[in-house]
Amino acid sequence: MSARIVSMDQFRGYTMAGMFLVNFIGSFAVVPAVFKHHNTYCSYADTIMPQFFFAVGFAFRLVLLRNRETLGAAAAYRKAVRRCLGLILVGLVVYHLDGRYRTWAELSDLGWWGFLEKSFRRDPFQALVHIGVTSLFILPVLAASIRARVVFMAASGLAHLGLSAWFWYDWLQANRVIDGGALGFLTWSIPTLTGSIAYDVLQRDGPAKSVGAFLRWGALLCVLGYALSCLNAVFGPARGTGLSAWLVEPPFFPPARPVDLWTMSQRSGSISYLWFSAGLSLLVYAAFVWWCDVRGRSWPWLGILGLNPLAGYLIHLWVADAVKPFGPKDSPVWWVAVVFSIYFGLTYLFLRALDRQKIYLRM
């Protein structure tokens, strides 16, 4: 295989394009619900963020193993820790801390603990911070065997489930936490480590053989995630008769039952959502392995997006701030298409210019 794994660059580019799409159009009233975040079921919009974690796990495993060989274990892990801390710092600057203070007295009255509790409640824990924290969390097992990583994923998911049942689910719902909040790393580790395992399988078995493995395991994880979400029907109030009494709506369909900690939800970072999303990431990646690594095909524009994800993430936020004011929420479909095309085109042009100058933003 080449120095760069084309299928992963293309997969990452697709994920970037999906992020641009859902982050921009999700606020328009005319856009179908499946392209929006709802926090009560898994929509198409909710599948994008787990794919970033899948790609991070894939690349993180690759880089760590390579650095262990060239730099030695100690230096490789120091470099990995610095990268994670740098990403967290960038995220905190991008998202800001919670709270606004008009006077010194208002700030000082909080005390150190009150400041920490209030400032890190909601806004800081978004994509970049979650990636940095989750990467630190999985680092001790990232170079371990597949079996060790699977056990770690399962244990992390169970820990999140136990804490959610104890207090976390109610707290995050009351505080309208984003993307799983401060404990989100426990379940975001699932797609991240799944990505690291996908790297191993691809290296061990080669592209052609890996496609089948990714399809089988991806389907299995999707079924597992859905089965876990059906525990909402088991432990919730009885509804319907026969098989319908034991099943909930599949992903991409709104729930008919009251949501709980078993529901697929990006807000809560539920285990059903992230097992399902890890499986879906494998299925999507299998398509790119077949298209790129087996058939030798690729789309250049996806490659440009996939080679500079951090720059793309930051640039798309700035471009959206410039374009979005000209797109009222009640815009018709044709105007949504116009402003989105302008926004996407500008973002792509910036990334293409960086690619031509070989400027890639790395942490």
Side-chain angles (χ1 to χ4, degrees):
M1 298 178 62
S2 62
R4 293 208 64 87
I5 300 175
V6 177
S7 59
M8 179 47 62
D9 287 338
Q10 294 278 297
F11 173 84
R12 195 185 294 112
Y14 157 74
T15 303
M16 293 288 291
M19 178 187 69
F20 296 165
L21 176 70
V22 300
N23 283 359
F24 190 87
I25 71 172
S27 61
F28 293 101
V30 72
V31 170
V34 74
F35 293 108
K36 303 182 180 185
H37 297 290
H38 302 280
N39 303 312
T40 55
Y41 66 97
C42 181
S43 65
Y44 171 78
D46 296 323
T47 67
I48 299 300
M49 188 168 169
Q51 290 177 177
F52 273 113
F53 283 80
F54 179 91
V56 166
F58 188 104
F60 201 13
R61 167 83 171 174
L62 183 160
V63 171
L64 181 65
L65 295 182
R66 183 182 64 196
N67 287 343
R68 276 163 56 103
E69 291 180 1
T70 58
L71 305 175
Y77 282 102
R78 284 197 301 269
K79 188 172 183 178
V81 169
R82 286 197 301 268
R83 174 191 177 277
C84 295
L85 293 178
L87 195 58
I88 292 170
L89 180 60
V90 171
L92 292 177
V93 171
V94 171
Y95 306 129
H96 311 298
L97 302 183
D98 295 316
R100 299 290 183 271
Y101 307 100
R102 299 182 183 87
T103 66
W104 172 249
E106 185 180 354
L107 177 60
S108 59
D109 286 346
L110 285 175
W112 283 107
W113 176 252
F115 170 77
L116 293 173
E117 191 276 333
K118 183 176 181 180
S119 299
F120 292 88
R121 179 175 297 180
R122 183 175 186 272
D123 285 347
F125 287 97
Q126 299 184 52
L128 296 180
V129 173
H130 277 305
I131 289 172
V133 173
T134 302
S135 297
L136 278 177
F137 177 62
I138 67 170
L139 186 56
V141 299
L142 189 60
S145 67
I146 290 178
R147 177 177 296 179
R149 280 173 280 160
V150 170
V151 170
F152 189 88
M153 280 192 287
S156 299
L158 289 174
H160 186 273
L161 178 61
L163 291 169
S164 296
W166 179 21
F167 75 96
W168 184 243
Y169 181 81
D170 291 335
W171 187 90
L172 64 85
Q173 293 295 331
N175 289 276
R176 299 178 61 81
V177 164
I178 298 171
D179 302 336
L183 297 182
F185 65 89
L186 290 169
T187 44
W188 287 116
S189 65
I190 294 171
T192 313
L193 285 173
T194 301
S196 76
I197 294 171
Y199 168 75
D200 289 354
V201 173
L202 189 64
Q203 291 296 303
R204 183 190 66 198
D205 298 340
K209 191 174 179 181
S210 296
V211 170
F214 292 157
L215 290 175
R216 290 190 298 273
W217 285 102
L220 181 63
L221 292 182
C222 286
V223 171
L224 172 62
Y226 175 66
L228 288 170
S229 72
C230 288
L231 292 176
N232 173 289
V234 174
F235 295 111
R239 291 189 177 215
T241 59
L243 188 60
S244 65
W246 300 94
L247 299 178
V248 298
E249 288 69 27
F252 311 119
F253 290 88
R257 299 169 179 270
V259 300
D260 63 9
L261 58 83
W262 300 106
T263 302
M264 292 189 190
S265 168
Q266 184 163 314
R267 167 175 287 170
S268 63
S270 59
I271 59 171
S272 59
Y273 161 59
L274 285 164
W275 280 118
F276 170 80
S277 297
L280 185 62
S281 297
L282 274 174
L283 294 177
V284 174
Y285 184 56
F288 280 99
V289 172
W290 174 78
W291 180 251
C292 302
D293 299 336
V294 176
R295 297 198 61 190
R297 308 291 184 85
S298 65
W299 292 280
W301 66 277
L302 282 186
I304 289 174
L305 298 182
L307 285 171
N308 217 350
L310 181 55
Y313 183 86
L314 298 175
I315 289 170
H316 101 283
L317 296 176
W318 300 329
V319 175
D321 285 342
V323 176
K324 207 66 177 289
F326 301 95
K329 292 185 177 181
D330 61 348
S331 299
V333 172
W334 71 269
W335 185 245
V336 173
V338 168
V339 291
F340 172 75
S341 298
I342 294 171
Y343 148 81
F344 190 94
L346 288 173
T347 303
Y348 176 77
L349 286 176
F350 282 124
L351 289 172
R352 185 179 178 187
L354 292 176
D355 182 68
R356 285 183 171 180
Q357 300 174 69
K358 305 302 179 185
I359 299 173
Y360 304 105
L361 189 56
R362 302 281 189 264
M363 294 305 304

